Amino acid sequence: MTSKSARAVPQLRAQPELEHLELSFVPARLRDLRETDIPKLKSLKATLEDAAAIVPGRPVEEFHHISTPGELDLDEYFVRKLSLSSGPITTLVTRLHQPSDHDSVRGLLQVFACHLPELRHLTLTVLGKVSGQIKKRSDN
């Protein structure tokens, strides 16, 4: 879907059978969606802001994070929003742009374990100088 958010909400409301949604405009800002809109959504590819607005109350099982310039990294606030899916999130694909150290990555993994206990498939790409530190530590 590649339209302005004001026009996107009515289009999504008209798609009650929609199961997979990829929002390529960044960010869509779909805060006006009602809980009854897109009730069968299982898979979402979007920014964190859009996921926080869309996932709660819907049976989303798979989330692919589309990162945008200047967007915050996935943190506990957004993971809690994902945990509000009416179906368990089992697949998560995301990236961290500039984690401060390897402990912040380890902390995020603990947040996943706490709030997304049924997570089965995780792709976590770590960008920045800490990615080399994590690899060195795991090689020991």
Side-chain angles (χ1 to χ4, degrees):
M1 175 166 286
T2 56
S3 65
K4 300 289 183 190
S5 61
R7 290 176 273 171
V9 170
Q11 291 172 356
L12 291 173
R13 285 187 179 139
Q15 301 295 323
E17 299 299 315
L18 189 67
E19 293 184 0
H20 305 280
L21 177 61
E22 180 175 339
L23 298 171
S24 60
F25 50 101
V26 199
R29 293 185 175 91
L30 300 172
R31 293 184 208 109
D32 295 334
L33 278 179
R34 295 181 292 227
E35 285 188 26
T36 55
D37 297 334
I38 50 176
K40 296 182 180 181
L41 188 65
K42 292 182 181 182
S43 174
L44 176 64
K45 187 171 184 179
T47 65
L48 294 174
E49 181 181 339
D50 290 333
I54 294 170
V55 170
R58 293 180 179 84
V60 176
E61 299 171 356
E62 183 175 326
F63 174 61
H64 292 255
H65 173 200
I66 297 176
S67 59
T68 62
E71 182 182 46
L72 298 173
D73 278 338
L74 184 63
D75 62 12
E76 188 166 5
Y77 168 80
F78 290 111
V79 173
R80 284 179 187 235
K81 288 290 190 177
L82 294 176
S83 74
L84 297 176
S85 170
S86 62
I89 300 276
T90 59
T91 301
L92 175 64
V93 177
T94 189
R95 61 178 49 195
L96 299 176
H97 290 280
Q98 293 292 332
S100 55
D101 57 27
H102 58 273
D103 287 334
S104 62
V105 176
R106 187 176 302 115
L108 183 59
L109 293 173
Q110 290 171 341
V111 167
F112 291 155
C114 178
H115 297 290
L116 302 174
E118 299 198 38
L119 190 62
R120 299 291 174 258
H121 306 278
L122 172 63
T123 302
L124 177 61
T125 303
V126 180
L127 304 172
K129 59 186 175 184
V130 76
S131 63
Q133 295 172 8
I134 293 170
K135 179 167 177 18
K136 286 178 189 173
R137 272 197 132 184
S138 66
D139 290 343
N140 292 332

